[in-house]
Amino acid sequence: MEYRQLRPIYDALEGSDPQRALKECDKLLRKHPNHPSARAIKAYVLTQTGRTEEALALSLSVLETPTAMASAHAQQGLTLAFRALGRPHEEIMVYTAALAHTPNDETLHCKVFKAAARNRMFKEQHQAAVQLNKLFDNPKYIWWLVVSLLLQARDSPKNAAAQVQLKLAERLVEKAVADGNLKSVEELRVYLDVLDVQDKREQMVEVMDVNGQLAALIANDPDLVTQRIELLIKTQAYGKAVEAAIAALKARDNWADYKLYIEAVIASVDPAAAGASVSTICAHLEAWAADRDRARSAKLAQVALATRMFESGFGDAAGLPELLIWGFIDQFQEKAICYTDIMQFIIAHHKAAGKYDAQAAVIDYHWAQLEKRMPAARESAGQSDGEAQAWVNLEKVRYLMQALRGETDPSVWLADIEVLLNFGLTSKPARKKQPACSDMTLLACQRIIQAAFLAHGATSARAQLHSALFKALCVLESGIRLNEGNFMLKLYAIRLYLYLSCYERARAIYDSLSIKHVQQETLGHMILGHGMMLGCFAADMELCYDGVAFYDRFRSKMPRDIESVYDQETYSNIQDFIEFQRNLDCSVQHECTHRYALRGEGFEYGSAKEMVARWEEADTRSIEHTEESLGALHDNRDISVMGLLTPKELAQWDLELLTRPVPMPGHEWIQAFSLVPQIMHHMVCAEIELLQIKSSELAAIVDKHDNALPRSDLILIRGIIDMVALYIQATDQQHAVDVQLDKLVEDVFEDYFEDTWSDLNKKDLLK
Amino acid sequence: MSTIRRFRAMDMLRFNNVNLDRYTETYDLGFYLKYMASWPALFTVAEAPSGSLMGYNMGKVEGKGELWHGHVTALTVAPDCRRLGLARGLMRGLEDASEKIHDCYFVDLFVRPSNAVAVQMYERLGYILYRQVIDYYLGDGVMPTEYAYDMRKALPRDVSKKSVVPLTHPVNVEDTFF
């Protein structure tokens, strides 16, 4: 009967027609003014039409109706309303009120739990889990309770209750084990987490060393195998760690296990006989290196071991790092990944050599090796893609060496550039579109860009710099034409086009990369905001809205994904999902996207009246920031994707840094563009005191951090500060004029009405 | 060589060097999160010694009875990490998990016949062409509309290898749902 009454409303909602749904709600309520389900669903529909204040008032009123929650329709309507309004406490109150009618409804108890879990209300989640365990005999709820206790303790680790919660969680798990209720690897991971948070590492090892079912779970989970080795190292059981690592490496080729093996060995090295101490691992690595399927990992592990021994002061106990580095390069240079593999060890070795004042000697050694190999590599590059790749890798090492020795002569960077360009763009392999040619083109561009900044990086030489970068762009475009699929060429092209203020082409290349969804968080910074700086507002606003929509979708859907972890009982995901949610909720790019959108809308072309109305209506409370909230923002912008060949510390050779068209928006920018909308709002609302405060804050940011803000943004901000100063001055003057006028009128009345009017009339007139 | 481990949500903030490749699709966040939440052991990533991501494999389990199987939803490797045996390593991980954790009868996947390199790789890993699926792949501006090869590999539970007896006729997309 109730469903039949509500059917037209549901049909309208299913047809995505909230206006019609609202009409149907009102129609029903005219006949039955106190229909709880209609009221509840109307509250939800009001949220869909943007009438949030009405929705909230109605929702709270329905919640206060004792009998309303007896209806499932009312429950659903109201929970949806509170969810849309972002009121999780009230959502839980709906379920609690419903439970008053059906106290043993397991589904409702689960809904309470999941509502709390979705919203990271750990205390309420815990309480709901306790109820579930008390009322229902389902082993799953034990784990829900354990996870709730763990989350609560992790959320407030310094809280005195945290220790009690963890002890309770541990006892619950031990009981579950004793009762045979620990059956899955997910439950095992929860057990280990509970112990890990309490730093009970030895106990974790004991748990992982038991026989029987648990052992089988661990053996089938590679991550747990690695975790066990890690634990053995942390508990200083180096001998067992070594044994476990060897056993793991015999079963599979896994870099994480190699690293731990090396760590365990180095931790147990006898300083008096370092060579002998590492002989077993060296023998193992040698044996594994002879196996073609695992040669690359074993060889790199040899390099890693030698480098670590050298760093730790054990000299060449595991071999000379530089010899092993070149041994690795010689064997694997035909693989595109060779340079990425070996780069960190070349840098680490060079850095460690600093202790012995031997950095120059290390570079000389590497340089000599390059000179020995380069001619032959260039000669044979045309024979196959592998040979070409070998040359590319050597050229990358050459690039690194030049940076490490601090080469600032642009001509050195451009030496042999024609050779690289010919191979990359016009050679026979290039015409066959061999991937290595595309890599060579990129490398040549990187050299041109590097040389350009070294030669013309000073602000007085902008024209020459731009001219040089334009040449790099020509090379990039040729490379892209030959290999449309090489995204690195495109990323550099986007950067350079923006550097040269060419938004349209930069945007076209960006669009060709089909960047979407989570990539808006990590790669959106490459283009977002640059359009506005160059006068292309509409194009930039389009991207802003895509970005805002992504964050809104994420915010509404992520809680469901957290909930599903409990349904699927894959508890190891919880902490990871929560961390991810926090990261995206409070991220630098998220804040920047919203500010760009607000700025674009606020300063959109239109009449003055429209602009004033926009600023008057703008909700600026939600974008206020404190030092603390700024400090809590996560920066997920991906800059490593540009494939740098040099370590980050060498700023002068950091192409990602050099090619930034403007300083990347950081805390100062976010704070400045949080203040700008607030200032505009206070100005149109004539809130002078607040205006003065915010304007001073903005001026302080500009004074302190003007080199952290893009020039065009600085011009806008300074303009706003000047405008505020003028406005305040005019207001003060207006105030002074008003006061004078009031005084004048009073004097006139006083003189004029003294004889002819009574006090009462005078007061009325003065009003 | 790499570290092969479970894919984590935070990895989505680091996979651009894999996903910017034009043949790799970037899905909605919910798609990845669903796979992590439902089948974590079948969603693995390969991480290089340098810390960058090299590739990943997304899988699930589905079917009933003797059709209970592991399915490879997506397998992708960064352009500069190809021809290292990485796909082989990721596939082995998925097969192991399908066999030892989920107790499946077989593993299957769909692949474009025009992707000869991939087809050869799967054949070398022991996959056979089980059936062809008509117009499984629809044109998207980058790739044309194409049939799919449905390739299968039997796992130890399928003792009589029933799951890998090929069909003689192609099927429609609807016939592939479980």
Side-chain angles (χ1 to χ4, degrees):
Chain A
M1 164 75 168
E2 195 182 25
Y3 179 73
R4 260 210 313 248
Q5 287 176 319
L6 298 169
R7 173 85 186 261
I9 305 171
Y10 287 142
D11 285 345
L13 284 172
E14 257 167 58
S16 304
D17 190 350
Q19 294 298 343
R20 188 161 67 92
L22 203 52
K23 278 197 183 112
E24 294 293 343
C25 286
D26 287 337
K27 202 163 132 189
L28 182 54
L29 285 167
R30 272 196 293 276
K31 284 189 207 156
H32 308 279
N34 294 319
H35 195 300
S37 302
R39 294 175 76 216
I41 297 171
K42 181 177 174 178
Y44 169 63
V45 175
L46 284 168
T47 68
Q48 302 303 293
T49 55
R51 288 156 67 174
T52 48
E53 282 184 23
E54 283 177 67
L56 181 61
L58 181 54
S59 305
L60 291 171
S61 155
V62 176
L63 187 58
E64 280 162 15
T65 312
T67 51
M69 294 307 112
S71 156
H73 295 281
Q75 282 170 35
Q76 191 185 30
L78 211 52
T79 52
L80 286 174
F82 281 128
R83 238 182 262 178
L85 291 163
R87 306 281 289 224
H89 284 282
E90 285 79 1
E91 185 191 345
I92 290 177
M93 282 166 70
V94 171
Y95 298 127
T96 317
L99 279 167
H101 298 279
T102 48
N104 292 325
D105 186 328
E106 189 173 349
T107 307
L108 275 174
H109 280 284
C110 284
K111 282 185 178 177
V112 175
F113 177 86
K114 285 177 191 173
R118 274 200 303 276
N119 291 288
R120 305 200 308 245
M121 296 159 65
F122 302 128
K123 187 172 158 203
E124 288 80 357
Q125 183 181 333
H126 168 215
Q127 286 164 353
V130 165
Q131 284 301 307
L132 280 164
N133 269 283
K134 235 198 255 180
L135 295 170
F136 309 106
D137 182 23
N138 186 333
K140 172 168 87 169
Y141 298 140
I142 298 171
W143 296 101
W144 285 21
L145 179 53
V146 172
V147 171
S148 304
L149 287 163
L150 191 52
L151 288 173
Q152 222 181 335
R154 268 200 170 123
D155 195 48
S156 318
K158 296 197 174 120
N159 192 327
Q163 290 310 311
V164 174
Q165 285 154 357
L166 289 169
K167 284 220 174 332
L168 176 57
E170 192 180 337
R171 287 225 187 95
L172 284 167
V173 174
E174 283 166 356
K175 185 167 185 309
V177 173
D179 294 345
N181 283 328
L182 193 158
K183 294 191 174 114
S184 74
V185 76
E186 291 296 324
E187 288 156 3
L188 173 61
R189 280 165 180 258
V190 172
Y191 189 5
L192 293 171
D193 268 350
V194 168
L195 295 174
D196 191 26
V197 167
Q198 300 176 86
D199 287 333
K200 292 187 175 179
R201 304 253 156 77
E202 278 88 4
Q203 257 174 276
M204 289 172 77
V205 173
E206 275 171 34
V207 166
M208 295 181 99
D209 278 351
V210 295
N211 293 319
Q213 195 203 2
L214 282 188
L217 288 177
I218 294 162
N220 286 337
D221 190 320
D223 287 9
L224 287 178
V225 169
T226 302
Q227 188 180 8
R228 184 171 168 270
I229 304 169
E230 236 171 351
L231 278 170
L232 288 167
I233 293 173
K234 281 181 182 166
T235 53
Q236 295 173 348
Y238 300 121
K240 280 192 174 171
V242 165
E243 268 173 39
I246 293 171
L249 285 165
K250 277 186 179 152
R252 64 176 191 151
D253 191 47
N254 191 36
W255 181 251
D257 297 337
Y258 276 110
K259 266 175 60 174
L260 291 171
Y261 185 14
I262 290 167
E263 205 181 313
V265 164
I266 290 181
S268 54
V269 153
D270 174 4
S277 298
V278 301
S279 59
T280 312
I281 183 175
C282 289
H284 274 131
L285 294 178
E286 204 53 56
W288 288 325
D291 175 353
R292 190 173 161 266
D293 277 347
R294 53 191 315 175
R296 190 168 138 257
S297 30
K299 278 280 189 203
L300 198 67
Q302 285 178 322
V303 175
L305 177 66
T307 312
R308 283 291 307 277
M309 293 294 284
F310 182 74
E311 281 172 340
S312 310
F314 295 120
D316 60 358
L320 284 167
E322 56 271 33
L323 269 181
L324 290 164
I325 284 169
W326 281 98
F328 182 87
I329 293 174
D330 285 340
Q331 195 167 346
F332 301 106
Q333 59 189 325
E334 294 196 5
K335 302 290 180 190
I337 197 140
C338 175
Y339 178 75
T340 312
D341 279 343
I342 206 65
M343 175 181 155
Q344 58 171 314
F345 298 108
I346 297 177
I347 293 167
H349 178 228
H350 174 257
K351 195 170 175 191
K355 260 194 287 186
Y356 311 103
D357 229 355
Q359 287 184 321
V362 162
I363 291 181
D364 286 344
Y365 177 84
H366 288 309
W367 202 260
Q369 299 307 308
L370 272 170
E371 283 180 341
K372 243 197 312 190
R373 291 161 173 79
M374 195 66 88
R378 287 185 182 180
E379 193 65 43
S380 56
Q383 289 171 17
S384 68
D385 195 56
E387 302 267 13
Q389 200 59 246
W391 181 21
V392 169
N393 282 316
L394 290 178
E395 287 292 346
K396 286 180 178 178
V397 175
R398 182 164 77 100
Y399 192 109
L400 175 61
M401 288 303 120
Q402 283 178 252
L404 284 177
R405 74 174 186 205
E407 184 58 71
T408 52
D409 181 351
S411 63
V412 173
W413 287 93
L414 291 174
D416 298 338
I417 198 79
E418 306 82 14
V419 177
L420 306 189
L421 286 172
N422 282 338
F423 185 76
L425 295 174
T426 58
S427 64
K428 207 163 146 196
R431 291 195 297 276
K432 284 196 213 161
K433 299 188 195 259
Q434 267 179 11
C437 294
S438 202
D439 291 345
M440 192 63 89
T441 305
L442 178 66
L443 196 46
C445 277
Q446 287 168 323
R447 284 188 166 276
I448 296 170
I449 296 168
Q450 185 66 73
F453 277 97
L454 286 170
H456 311 298
T459 34
S460 56
R462 295 318 260 179
Q464 290 102 311
L465 175 63
H466 289 184
S467 170
L469 293 179
F470 181 75
K471 288 173 187 150
L473 263 175
C474 294
V475 173
L476 285 167
E477 288 284 14
S478 304
I480 291 169
R481 217 173 310 122
L482 272 177
N483 187 347
E484 179 66 35
N486 189 319
F487 59 82
M488 296 271 280
L489 292 173
K490 289 184 172 183
L491 291 174
Y492 274 91
I494 291 169
R495 270 290 170 92
L496 294 192
Y497 273 117
L498 290 174
Y499 203 99
L500 299 180
S501 305
C502 299
Y503 179 77
E504 210 178 303
R505 182 59 186 146
R507 176 63 191 271
I509 297 175
Y510 180 87
D511 288 343
S512 76
L513 290 169
S514 289
I515 286 168
K516 50 187 186 262
H517 303 305
V518 69
Q519 289 174 314
Q520 283 163 333
E521 164 75 4
T522 52
L523 292 173
H525 66 94
M526 299 240 19
I527 198 85
L528 196 61
H530 292 279
M532 282 184 208
M533 283 183 233
L534 297 169
C536 304
F537 282 88
D540 230 358
M541 283 304 290
E542 199 186 283
L543 283 172
C544 281
Y545 288 139
D546 285 346
V548 168
F550 161 71
Y551 290 112
D552 286 347
R553 257 193 332 267
F554 164 76
R555 199 163 257 181
S556 70
K557 289 191 176 173
M558 183 81 206
R560 284 276 180 212
D561 296 303
I562 290 178
E563 190 184 310
S564 77
V565 168
Y566 290 98
D567 286 330
Q568 302 290 339
E569 299 176 59
T570 52
Y571 307 114
S572 60
N573 283 310
I574 302 245
Q575 203 57 52
D576 180 38
F577 279 26
I578 289 174
E579 186 189 351
F580 183 69
Q581 185 184 40
R582 280 187 176 137
N583 242 275
L584 249 63
D585 257 346
C586 303
S587 80
V588 169
Q589 186 61 20
H590 188 169
E591 296 298 305
C592 288
T593 305
H594 276 99
R595 272 148 196 73
Y596 281 127
L598 205 54
R599 168 187 168 171
E601 284 172 346
F603 292 113
E604 201 177 359
Y605 182 79
S607 70
K609 207 173 164 189
E610 285 165 354
M611 201 189 286
V612 165
R614 273 201 294 275
W615 285 118
E616 211 165 8
E617 287 160 10
D619 172 18
T620 58
R621 283 162 303 167
S622 60
I623 60 167
E624 289 190 25
H625 263 298
T626 60
E627 282 300 319
E628 205 191 325
S629 64
L630 283 172
L633 292 177
H634 300 273
D635 194 348
N636 302 313
R637 294 174 295 188
D638 187 358
I639 52 179
S640 69
V641 72
M642 288 185 67
L644 295 179
L645 300 175
T646 54
K648 262 308 201 182
E649 306 83 66
L650 299 181
Q652 205 175 357
W653 293 273
D654 183 339
L655 291 184
E656 190 282 319
L657 201 57
L658 291 172
T659 57
R660 287 183 190 176
V662 294
M664 214 186 258
H667 291 176
E668 304 79 16
W669 188 94
I670 292 171
Q671 188 62 312
F673 280 92
S674 302
L675 289 167
V676 163
Q678 292 174 57
I679 286 168
M680 297 304 293
H681 174 75
H682 293 319
M683 194 151 46
V684 302
C685 296
E687 292 164 344
I688 305 296
E689 210 179 300
L690 286 169
L691 186 59
Q692 279 172 324
I693 293 168
K694 299 294 176 181
S695 177
S696 305
E697 284 178 32
L698 187 59
I701 291 174
V702 168
D703 286 342
K704 217 170 155 192
H705 302 288
D706 65 343
N707 59 347
L709 299 168
R711 196 167 157 272
S712 58
D713 290 345
L714 263 177
I715 293 171
L716 173 66
I717 292 169
R718 286 201 173 114
I720 287 171
I721 293 171
D722 288 345
M723 189 167 64
V724 168
L726 192 62
Y727 176 86
I728 290 173
Q729 192 183 22
T731 308
D732 283 346
Q733 284 175 353
Q734 177 63 25
H735 180 70
V737 165
D738 281 344
V739 164
Q740 284 173 19
L741 275 174
D742 284 343
K743 177 102 183 39
L744 185 63
V745 166
E746 209 179 296
D747 289 346
V748 161
F749 271 116
E750 196 136 312
D751 291 343
Y752 183 73
F753 293 120
E754 191 62 47
D755 299 322
T756 52
W757 289 89
S758 71
D759 281 349
L760 183 63
N761 286 341
K762 190 166 66 178
K763 275 174 195 160
D764 287 341
L765 278 170
L766 282 170
K767 271 184 214 163
Chain B
M1 149 272 293
S2 54
T3 298
I4 294 184
R5 55 165 175 80
R6 279 196 187 182
F7 193 95
R8 295 190 282 260
M10 293 295 288
D11 289 329
M12 287 190 278
L13 302 176
R14 303 166 54 209
F15 67 8
N16 288 314
N17 62 313
V18 179
N19 277 39
L20 277 173
D21 175 53
R22 62 177 170 164
Y23 298 124
T24 299
E25 180 66 30
T26 297
Y27 301 107
D28 184 56
L29 273 182
F31 188 73
Y32 297 105
L33 293 169
K34 181 185 166 186
Y35 271 74
M36 274 180 261
S38 304
W39 309 287
L42 299 175
F43 194 168
T44 51
V45 65
E47 191 172 8
S50 62
S52 61
L53 301 188
M54 300 170 82
Y56 57 86
N57 197 4
M58 291 173 75
K60 60 180 176 179
V61 281
E62 57 185 359
K64 287 183 178 150
E66 288 181 336
L67 292 177
W68 175 242
H69 68 281
H71 175 75
V72 181
T73 301
L75 169 63
T76 180
V77 175
D80 60 348
C81 300
R82 291 180 186 155
R83 303 178 71 180
L84 296 173
L86 198 56
R88 196 171 56 228
L90 288 166
M91 284 299 294
R92 282 214 183 105
L94 188 142
E95 287 162 15
D96 271 350
S98 298
E99 179 198 331
K100 293 171 183 162
I101 297 175
H102 295 286
D103 202 19
C104 295
Y105 285 85
F106 61 92
V107 172
D108 88 338
L109 56 96
F110 294 122
V111 63
R112 285 177 180 268
S114 57
N115 193 349
V117 170
V119 172
Q120 251 183 13
M121 181 196 71
Y122 292 125
E123 281 171 346
R124 268 188 254 122
L125 291 176
Y127 287 79
I128 59 104
L129 172 55
Y130 174 67
R131 62 188 171 180
Q132 295 192 56
V133 184
I134 301 164
D135 288 351
Y136 181 81
Y137 293 107
L138 298 174
D140 60 3
V142 178
M143 303 291 284
T145 298
E146 228 179 319
Y147 272 38
Y149 280 169
D150 180 353
M151 300 184 78
R152 285 191 180 183
K153 178 176 177 177
L155 294 176
R157 191 176 179 187
D158 179 11
V159 175
S160 51
K161 306 288 178 229
K162 270 202 269 186
S163 61
V164 289
V165 175
L167 296 188
T168 52
H169 55 88
V171 300
N172 292 312
V173 172
E174 308 81 69
D175 300 323
T176 64
F177 299 151
F178 288 94

